């Protein structure tokens, strides 16, 4: 399938559609923001970008990841960041806007998607953002030991996180690439009975002593399918400030940590490469 491209600027802006490695990509203009776009892959929303205001985060899970990025270091301090999963580079743009002079690596396997986003939603040429078109785990292996202040995993293939990005062996690589005070944040998706989410918390707990989870209360209660942001580090996490920010969001979320988070896992055991499976596919109703 080829690409269908119509004007991108002004009130006549229309969708840009193109086949990419992961399916059919669509860039849909935001009717409420002049140069803002939503990226969908096979109908599933992946990213939202405002070219005029890259610090604006529309999706609730991206705002939660933004909170983590805000609290990794004092405001404005440049960071070394690795993004596993690129989408439309939303969080990389956010970090570049809020923390100038940060150095970032984006690992996105879908080379055709990278080309589409670079062409239609170009990055600020002054931003220190390097994009690698390779598998997330292979790209992570090339990150020097202790280089990263923050590693964000937001990888979905067919709306599912690939199995090889859910294991203790993968988390060992994450830990190797983080500096001693670095933070790992993962966007996870699950629904009842939340077996995948519980297993991912147990897996992270096998590698890191400090954990927190940000999620919609309805998701945590197993009432619906949704996203949760898992945060892990060797250092104490800013739980109080994360809690305040999550509670004041337009879509309020809860932060679980400590004994409550341990209890939430319900005895789940860490996932190894040998036993790993992809995250569950979301029900069709999620994207309606």
């Amino acid at each position: 399938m080829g690409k269908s491209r119509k004007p991108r600027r002004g009130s006549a802006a229309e969708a840009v559609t193109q086949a990419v490695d992961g399916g059919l990509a669509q860039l849909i203009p935001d009717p409420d923001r002049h140069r803002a776009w939503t990226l969908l892959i096979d109908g599933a929303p992946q990213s939202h970008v405002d070219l005029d205001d890259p610090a604006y985060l529309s999706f609730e899970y991206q705002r939660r990841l933004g909170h983590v990025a805000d609290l990794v270091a004092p405001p404005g301090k440049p960071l070394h960041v690795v993004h596993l999963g690129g989408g439309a580079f939303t969080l990389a743009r956010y970090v570049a806007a809020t923390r100038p002079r940060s150095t970032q690596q984006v690992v996105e396997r879908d080379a055709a998607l990278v080309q589409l986003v670079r062409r239609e939603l170009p990055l600020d040429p002054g931003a220190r953002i390097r994009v690698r078109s390779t598998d997330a785990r292979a790209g992570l292996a090339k990150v020097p030991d202790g280089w990263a202040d923050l590693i964000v995993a937001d990888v979905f293939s067919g709306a599912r996180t690939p199995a090889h990005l859910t294991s203790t062996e993968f988390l060992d690589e994450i830990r190797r690439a983080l500096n001693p005070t670095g933070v790992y944040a993962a966007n996870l998706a699950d629904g009842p009975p939340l077996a995948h989410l519980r297993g991912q918390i147990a897996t992270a707990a096998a590698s890191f002593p400090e954990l927190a989870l940000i999620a919609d209360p309805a998701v945590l209660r197993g009432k619906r399918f949704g996203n949760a942001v898992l945060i892990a580090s060797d250092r104490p996490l800013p739980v109080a400030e994360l809690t305040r920010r999550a509670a004041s969001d337009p879509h309020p979320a809860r932060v679980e940590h400590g004994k409550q988070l341990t209890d939430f896992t319900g005895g789940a055991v860490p996932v190894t490469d040998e036993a790993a499976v992809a995250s569950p596919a979301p029900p069709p109703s999620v994207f309606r």
Side-chain angles (χ1 to χ4, degrees):
M1 181 182 295
K3 66 181 181 180
S4 173
R5 187 169 179 273
K6 296 185 178 181
R8 291 178 290 154
R9 297 182 180 275
S11 60
E14 294 186 20
V16 179
T17 302
Q18 181 174 317
V20 296
D21 299 341
L24 185 66
Q26 294 174 286
L27 289 172
I28 309 296
D30 184 333
D32 299 320
R33 302 180 76 89
H34 177 56
R35 297 179 68 225
W37 300 80
T38 299
L39 169 67
L40 294 84
I41 305 291
D42 288 340
Q46 301 289 325
S47 305
H48 180 280
V49 169
D50 188 330
L51 296 178
D52 290 332
D53 183 9
Y56 174 76
L57 300 176
S58 176
F59 290 1
E60 59 189 60
Y61 87 85
Q62 291 180 331
R63 288 196 298 275
R64 293 166 190 169
L65 290 171
H67 298 330
V68 177
D70 289 345
L71 298 173
V72 165
K77 181 181 178 180
L79 298 177
H80 286 176
V81 185
V82 178
H83 304 267
L84 303 178
F89 314 146
T90 302
L91 201 65
R93 299 174 199 263
Y94 177 85
V95 171
T98 58
R99 296 180 178 274
R101 303 182 308 284
S102 291
T103 302
Q104 303 185 76
Q105 299 183 37
V106 177
V107 183
E108 172 54 61
R109 182 172 186 169
D110 194 327
L113 177 61
V114 169
Q115 292 174 355
L116 171 66
V117 171
R118 280 188 176 279
R119 184 183 71 241
E120 302 293 335
L121 309 176
L123 289 165
D124 179 347
R128 300 176 181 179
I129 301 173
R130 179 182 180 183
V131 183
R132 291 178 172 173
S133 296
T134 188
D135 173 76
R137 193 152 155 183
L140 177 63
K142 296 183 182 299
V143 176
D145 292 1
W147 183 84
D149 299 299
L150 173 64
I151 299 178
V152 177
D154 185 16
V155 184
F156 289 87
S157 176
R160 304 177 71 184
T161 301
H164 69 298
L165 305 181
T166 67
S167 66
T168 53
E169 292 88 345
F170 170 65
L171 266 292
D172 288 343
E173 273 293 288
I174 292 285
R175 183 165 187 156
R176 177 199 61 76
L178 282 172
N179 68 39
T181 61
V183 173
Y184 170 61
N187 177 33
L188 307 173
D190 200 8
L194 300 177
H196 173 72
L197 182 58
R198 298 180 203 278
Q200 288 304 286
I201 297 167
T203 302
S207 296
F208 293 95
E210 300 289 338
L211 301 179
L213 186 75
I214 311 175
D216 185 303
V219 173
L220 291 176
R221 291 195 299 267
K223 298 295 185 182
R224 67 174 181 84
F225 194 98
N227 295 83
V229 170
L230 177 62
I231 312 159
S233 183
D234 281 341
R235 66 175 168 101
L237 294 166
V239 172
E241 182 61 15
L242 283 171
T243 300
R244 187 191 70 78
R245 293 186 180 211
S248 62
D249 191 81
H251 297 278
R254 200 164 79 211
V255 176
E256 295 286 7
H257 65 101
K259 184 178 185 300
Q260 289 81 7
L261 189 56
T262 301
D263 291 346
F264 176 78
T265 64
V269 298
V271 177
T272 63
D273 273 346
E274 185 177 4
V277 297
S279 66
S285 59
V286 168
F287 304 125
R288 287 177 187 164

